[in-house]
């Protein structure tokens, strides 16, 4: 960092992490978790728009029943690319690598991650994976769907399946490194007084998600490696003409990919658990249950993979066991939905954009989750598996749920990260637009699916056209709603009002330092005296029985905005 | 665009009615619970907006830890009830009746081939009588496909190197869509067919009227066996060679990425110069038959391959 | 000296070492699942084709596998001495033991290389020219190449890590005593050894009992 460089940094940032050098090199060699978070944020945003652009063409193609925009192979490549990019290059890393990286040390009162250099390395690995993915895309991405089923992927598919798989394989190392870092940080770097049951739920979410990442990702890695080996080197592993088992791949794949869906939802649950109490000015209802619920989801989530294989030819007995476990794993999710609802009770609720996004998350997640229960009923799944019903199910959870939560977090912590306030009415408008655009896009797909419209179809019977047109129009509204924040958030970087240290009057430890935070987060190591959601005196909460109130609430109920 | 907007698929099998019943029960429960949750969220949001006159302060004694346990248990029991219902339905429906009519199904990129118990063969169309249980015994020649008839609420993956079975009993005459539901490559979306459900007398008539194949092709069929073609090209052969049924007139994707139409010339070349056009996904192991077959033989063989176009397996 | 080993964001050496060790254990957990997937696939196929697997496994080279087992177990011993020695302050011994460990590792790779060469000469690479004809036997050999290949990659990484520590300490660039990398690399090395102990019966003993 040179003095000249420092001169260009706005004065207010001089002492913040943003002021620690403004050259490109200072960013590319940083080990500061906050800067790494921003590097990640830029990366995943790029990938989000790549994945979105791919599906944009798909939605255009689906406007008419015939094929008229792209060839059959191109269509297959587009949705494969969409699924692969959106899952592994956007949604899995989204909340953990951005907010997780930025906030985990702040929330537990640590100066940085346990392994700062590993943290930076994980970003470079992700970048390398991204470059491989882009090379694969440009030269003709694999056309297998994001699920890589054998023997299609090992033998018959024509695209660069191995390159696509390699990109995901490499990305896995980045996930694992992040997971290891989060676990070690949470164990070893909590500030004095930050006991496990004083951790904010977001930290718990990051901890739970790290465990899933660390234990599930390697199984995906070996599975994809076997596919690559069979495809490139010709070593038979799954080859059915030699006695191999085509279902072996599916078991291995879903053993990762079902836990992976919880990798994608747990962080969103963490965000909602921070945002809703803050704007309701209530302690989160049933803190302990929220923690147990997340741990239960992470644990039981490893045992339900077979519900993706109800019609694959696995035994009826296995079907029923996996169906049963799928119902069991849904219980903790239901508890969380009820607890968020109960948190609103007797609150002093305001509706900033972050809160709107968070409430949208709760609703869309609940709807997506409930349709997951329908899929968990074997007879229903036999009818709707591999139709648009499933497509609608997972977009409700992943796009309606997690992406909404991502935006909730983005607005909530934007002042923390940048020190600026975003324009509130624009943001509210975008939130509402996103909610309606989303439902417009994906609700018709439930009906389509039950009517028997298979997924991954470029051409379809003409009587379905009306629903597809609706869906495509909804998607363009959705695209606009995603582009809006990009615009006004950029604007706020330069012209936004200064936020002050704690614009929401939030109680989390991350708000007890300046916004944006200094390089080592806190000027002195904080001492923690109480739990994370002290929005009102303890006697008014359901858990008043045991713990006496141990410190003054930051701002009592009903205090001015 | 279509005039009417379909909302719900018709029910054309015994299983369809049961599946829909279960679906509506679960849907009803979901609507109720989601309705309550939504009403609470919206209700609280309005009643407890900042500065509203609603009562605040300590929570009433009712809202306590117990409520948490209560709704955990309540949800668990609700879910278990749904599971029990769905599973008993599944168990009841799994095994086909003993008198079910067996139909063999062979799936390949991107077509369906069916064979009736009396040897009648069909491609992409299956005629069945109404009211009679039909059992499908299925296997795939290449990748995984899935036999899906929406109006029957029936679907089953079709795997290479394995046999999977499922069954249905049609309750309505008509022609219904058959779709491949598992992604299987380029023309997955075009791997369609139809199920023609007929009354029992109509079905008998149809069955009777199935044509015999012509004599040129019959000579070709004999050659196909004596020359050893069937050693590799028969469906049950251990050698991995493409199935020739339905080949004629179709576009063939070659290993070098080209796509050619399987016409007489192509088949002729395939027999005389097999190395010229290698089919994608296969090893170039087919020997050349140049010199071993006369032109007349070639004619017969080509006629035979052509006859495989509509039904029949070598 | 001891302060040089302290890195951001740590305030004391003990905790830093604890964290490194915790991180390594978590990493080893991922490795267990990585190999676990592989072993699971192998077991599933072996249960499906027990006879063919036994027959195919008889073609592996028992003495090469056994020699390598002995080599790796020796190297684990030298690695232990290196780690313990470093903690106790015997820097010279630690360095020599590291070097020994790396050399034995290279010996393993050399033996494996010769074995691979002989396997290839005998046409044991699955595919059109496969020597053993029988179909599921090809799957056994598919697993053989994948499993031993992945293990060799792990071992190579281990050799690089160990050599790096040895060379850096020789040139006085790092101390070994408080260095959190010592126990971490040690753990990794033992893990790679244990993986071979699991592979050995699956690949070399199956057809021979
Ligand atoms: C973030 C991602 C995410 C999440 C969290 C979930 C959560 C769940 N999913 Fe989903 N799922 C996917 C992503 C996700 N899924 C994807 C990507 C696929 C398709 C993959 C592919 O094939 O490409 C899929 C497919 C899928 C299938 C297979 C469908 C098929 O292909 O045939 C099934 C079947 O059981 C299923 C079930 C469930 C269940 C039971 C849950 C539960 O965890 C949900 C729990 C939540 C709730 C239940 C809501 C809250 C509860 C209440 C409000 C209580 C009130 C309700 C009642 C009393 C009814 N999912
Ligand atoms: C994980 C996250 C995720 C996200 C965020 C999304 C987002 C969206 N998805 Fe995706 N989807 C999947 C995961 C996801 N999806 C998966 C896993 C599959 C299965 C794939 C498979 O079958 O293998 C799938 C499949 C899938 C299908 C089924 C395709 C088929 O089966 O044939 C459809 C169809 O409508 C669809 C639609 C959409 C839409 C409209 C969005 C929208 O939310 C996207 C909105 C965003 C944009 C539209 C971008 C906006 C920006 C621009 C348009 C500007 C472009 C800029 C430049 C070109 C410079 N998705
Ligand atoms: Cu066959 Cu899809
Ligand atoms: Cu799942």
């Amino acid at each position: 960092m040179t003095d000249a460089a420092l001169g260009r940094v706005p004065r207010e940032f001089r002492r913040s992490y943003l002021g620690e050098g403004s050259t490109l090199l200072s960013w590319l060699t940083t080990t500061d978790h906050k800067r790494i978070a921003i590097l990640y944020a830029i990366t995943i945003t790029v990938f989000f728009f790549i994945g979105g652009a791919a599906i944009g063409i798909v939605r255009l193609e689906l406007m008419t029943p015939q094929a008229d925009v792209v060839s059959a192979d191109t269509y297959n490549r587009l949705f494969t690319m969409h699924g692969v990019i959106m899952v592994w290059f956007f949604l899995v890393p989204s909340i953990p690598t951005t907010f997780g990286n930025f906030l985990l040390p702040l929330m537990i009162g640590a100066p940085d991650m346990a392994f700062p250099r590993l943290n930076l390395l994980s970003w470079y690995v992700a970048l390398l994976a991204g470059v491989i993915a882009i090379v694969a895309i440009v030269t003709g991405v694999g056309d297998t769907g994001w699920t890589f089923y054998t023997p299609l992927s090992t033998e018959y598919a024509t695209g660069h399946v191995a390159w696509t798989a390699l990109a995901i394989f490499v990305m896995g190392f980045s996930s694992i490194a992040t997971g290891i870092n989060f676990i070690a940080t949470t164990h070893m770097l909590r500030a004095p007084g930050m006991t496990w049951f004083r951790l904010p739920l977001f930290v718990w979410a990051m901890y739970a998600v790290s465990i899933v990442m660390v234990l599930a990702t390697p199984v995906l890695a070996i599975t994809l490696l076997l596919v690559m080996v069979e495809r490139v080197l010709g070593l038979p592993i799954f080859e059915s003409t030699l006695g191999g088992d085509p279902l072996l791949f599916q078991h291995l794949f879903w053993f990762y990919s079902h836990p992976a869906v919880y990798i994608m939802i747990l962080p969103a649950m963490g965000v909602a658990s921070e945002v809703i109490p803050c704007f309701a000015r209530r302690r989160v209802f049933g803190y302990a249950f929220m923690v147990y619920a997340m741990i239960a989801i992470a644990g039981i989530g490893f045992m339900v993979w077979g519900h993706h294989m109800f019609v694959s030819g696995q035994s009826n007995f296995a079907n029923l066991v996996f169906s049963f476990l799928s119902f069991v794993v849904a219980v903790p999710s239901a508890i969380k939905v009820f607890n968020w609802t109960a948190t609103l009770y007797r609150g002093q609720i305001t509706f900033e954009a972050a809160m709107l996004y968070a409430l949208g998350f709760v609703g869309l997640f609940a709807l997506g989750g409930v349709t997951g229960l329908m899929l968990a009923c074997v007879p229903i799944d036999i009818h709707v598996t591999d139709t648009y019903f499933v497509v609608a199910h997972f977009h409700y959870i992943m796009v309606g749920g997690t992406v909404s939560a991502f935006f909730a977090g983005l607005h909530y912590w934007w002042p923390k990260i940048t020190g600026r306030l975003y324009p509130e009415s624009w943001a509210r408008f975008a939130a509402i637009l996103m909610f309606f655009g989303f439902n417009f896009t994906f609700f018709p797909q439930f009906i389509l699916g039950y009517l028997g419209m298979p997924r991954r179809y470029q051409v379809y019977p003409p009587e379905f056209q009306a629903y597809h047109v609706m869906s495509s129009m909804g998607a363009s509204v959705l695209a606009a709603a995603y582009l809006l924040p990009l615009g006004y958030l950029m604007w706020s970087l330069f012209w936004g009002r200064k936020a002050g240290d704690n614009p929401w009057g939030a109680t989390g430890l991350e708000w007890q330092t300046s916004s944006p935070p200094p390089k080592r987060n806190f000027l002195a190591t904080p001492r923690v005296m109480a739990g994370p959601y002290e929005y009102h005196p303890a006697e008014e909460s359901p858990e008043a029985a045991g713990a006496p109130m141990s410190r003054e609430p930051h701002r009592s109920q009903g205090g001015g905005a | 665009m279509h005039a009417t907007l379909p909302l719900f698929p018709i029910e054309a099998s015994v299983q369809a009615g049961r599946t829909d019943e279960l679906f509506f029960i679960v849907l009803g429960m979901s609507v109720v619970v989601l309705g309550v949750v939504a009403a609470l969220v919206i209700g609280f949001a309005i009643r407890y907006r900042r500065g509203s006159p609603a009562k605040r302060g300590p929570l009433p004694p009712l809202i306590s830890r117990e409520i948490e346990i209560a709704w955990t248990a309540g949800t668990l029991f609700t879910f278990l009830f749904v599971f029990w219902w769905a599973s008993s339905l599944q168990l009841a429906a799994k095994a086909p009746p003993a008198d079910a009519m067996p139909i063999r199904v062979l799936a390949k990129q991107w077509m369906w081939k069916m064979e009736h118990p009396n040897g009648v063969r069909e491609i992409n169309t299956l005629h069945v009588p109404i009211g009679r249980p039909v059992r499908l015994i299925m296997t795939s020649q290449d990748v995984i496909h899935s036999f899906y008839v929406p109006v029957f609420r029936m679907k089953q993956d079709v795997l290479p190197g394995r046999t999977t079975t499922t069954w249905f009993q049609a309750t309505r005459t008509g022609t219904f869509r058959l779709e491949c539901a598992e992604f299987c490559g380029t023309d997955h979306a075009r791997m369609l067919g139809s199920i023609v459900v007929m009354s029992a007398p109509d079905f008998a008539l149809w069955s009777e009227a199935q044509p015999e194949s012509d004599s040129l092709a019959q000579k070709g069929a004999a050659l196909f066996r004596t020359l050893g073609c069937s050693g590799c090209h028969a469906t049950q052969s251990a050698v991995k060679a493409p199935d020739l049924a339905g080949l004629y007139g179709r576009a063939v994707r070659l290993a070098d990425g080209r796509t050619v139409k399987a016409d007489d010339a192509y088949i002729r070349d395939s027999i005389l110069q097999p190395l010229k056009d290698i089919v994608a996904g296969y090893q170039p192991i087919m020997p050349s038959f140049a010199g071993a077959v006369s032109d007349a033989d070639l004619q017969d063989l080509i006629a035979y391959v052509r006859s495989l176009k509509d039904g029949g397996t070598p | 000296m001891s302060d040089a080993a302290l890195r951001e964001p740590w305030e004391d050496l003990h905790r830093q070492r604890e964290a490194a060790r915790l991180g390594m254990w978590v990493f080893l957990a991922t490795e267990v699942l990585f190999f676990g997937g592989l072993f699971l696939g192998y077991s599933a196929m072996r249960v499906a084709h027990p006879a063919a697997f036994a027959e195919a496994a008889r073609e592996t080279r028992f003495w090469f596998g056994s020699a390598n087992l002995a080599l790796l177990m020796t190297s684990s011993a030298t690695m232990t001495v290196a780690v313990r020695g470093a903690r106790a302050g015997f820097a010279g011994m630690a360095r020599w033991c590291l070097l020994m460990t790396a050399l034995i590792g290279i010996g393993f790779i050399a033996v494996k290389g010769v074995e691979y060469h002989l396997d290839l000469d005998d046409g044991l690479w699955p595919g059109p020219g496969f020597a053993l004809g029988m179909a599921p036997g090809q799957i056994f050999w598919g697993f053989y190449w994948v499993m031993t290949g992945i293990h060799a990659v792990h071992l190579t990484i281990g050799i690089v890590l160990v050599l790096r520590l040895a060379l850096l300490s020789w040139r006085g660039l790092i101390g070994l005593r408080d260095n959190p990398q010592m126990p971490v690399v040690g753990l990794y090395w033992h893990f790679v050894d244990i993986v071979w102990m699991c592979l050995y019966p699956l690949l070399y003993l199956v057809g021979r009992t």
Side-chain angles (χ1 to χ4, degrees), chain A residues 154-185:
Chain A
T154 49
E155 205 170 334
Y156 293 88
T158 52
H160 290 309
V161 179
W163 282 103
T164 317
L166 183 68
I168 299 164
F169 180 81
V170 173
M171 192 67 189
F173 287 100
S174 168
S175 271
I176 291 173
T178 303
I180 291 176
N181 225 332
F182 283 9
I183 291 175
T185 307

Side-chain angles (χ1 to χ4, degrees), chain A residues 469-508:
Chain A
V469 169
M470 256 188 251
S471 192
S472 296
M473 295 197 312
S476 30
V477 176
L478 201 51
Y482 287 139
L483 287 170
L484 260 181
L486 202 65
Y488 64 71
L489 288 178
M490 285 306 116
W491 176 89
S492 78
L493 274 186
F494 301 98
W495 298 286
R497 267 193 303 128
K498 287 201 193 89
D501 286 346
N502 189 357
W504 316 126
T507 60

Side-chain angles (χ1 to χ4, degrees), chain A residues 309-468:
Chain A
M309 298 169 60
F310 286 156
V311 301
S312 69
Q314 78 181 357
S315 77
N316 204 27
F317 177 72
N319 278 354
L320 295 186
V321 170
F322 285 121
S323 166
F324 174 76
L325 290 168
S326 305
F327 279 99
V328 173
V329 78
V331 174
S333 300
I335 294 174
K336 298 192 77 86
V337 169
F338 298 145
N339 278 348
W340 289 318
T341 310
T343 302
L344 299 175
Y345 181 63
R346 300 206 161 177
Q348 294 276 5
I349 308 170
T350 54
F351 299 95
E352 276 82 2
M355 183 65 162
L356 293 181
Y357 279 115
L359 293 177
F361 158 79
V362 174
L364 298 178
F365 168 69
L367 190 55
V370 160
T371 55
L373 287 177
M374 297 174 185
L375 292 172
C377 301
V378 183
I380 301 180
D381 186 73
I382 289 178
H383 174 42
V384 294
T385 181
D386 276 317
T387 67
Y388 267 78
F389 195 91
V390 175
V391 174
H393 155 67
F394 66 72
H395 283 92
Y396 261 82
I397 297 191
M398 304 206 292
V399 183
T402 308
V403 177
S404 295
F406 180 81
F407 277 98
L410 191 60
H411 288 82
Y412 180 59
W413 285 301
W414 187 254
K416 181 85 250 166
I417 296 170
T418 65
R420 302 292 184 140
L421 281 176
Y422 57 83
E424 189 61 52
S425 22
W426 275 104
R428 284 186 184 157
F429 173 68
I432 292 166
L433 194 67
M434 213 177 281
F435 184 83
F436 285 103
F438 175 82
N439 282 297
F440 203 17
T441 312
F442 291 105
F443 198 82
Q445 296 187 357
F446 281 125
I447 303 172
L448 268 180
Y450 208 86
L451 282 170
M453 164 81 205
R455 62 193 283 204
R456 299 166 172 175
Y457 262 38
Q458 180 194 20
V459 292
Y460 55 84
E463 68 258 33
F464 294 158
Q465 187 176 14
Y467 292 113
H468 274 300

Side-chain angles (χ1 to χ4, degrees), chain A residues 25 108 154 188 213 279 283 306 342 344 407 413 487 491 517 553:
Chain A
L25 192 68
I108 63 175
T154 49
M188 309 302 289
M213 270 186 188
F279 294 104
R283 293 176 176 226
L344 299 175
F407 277 98
W413 285 301
W491 176 89

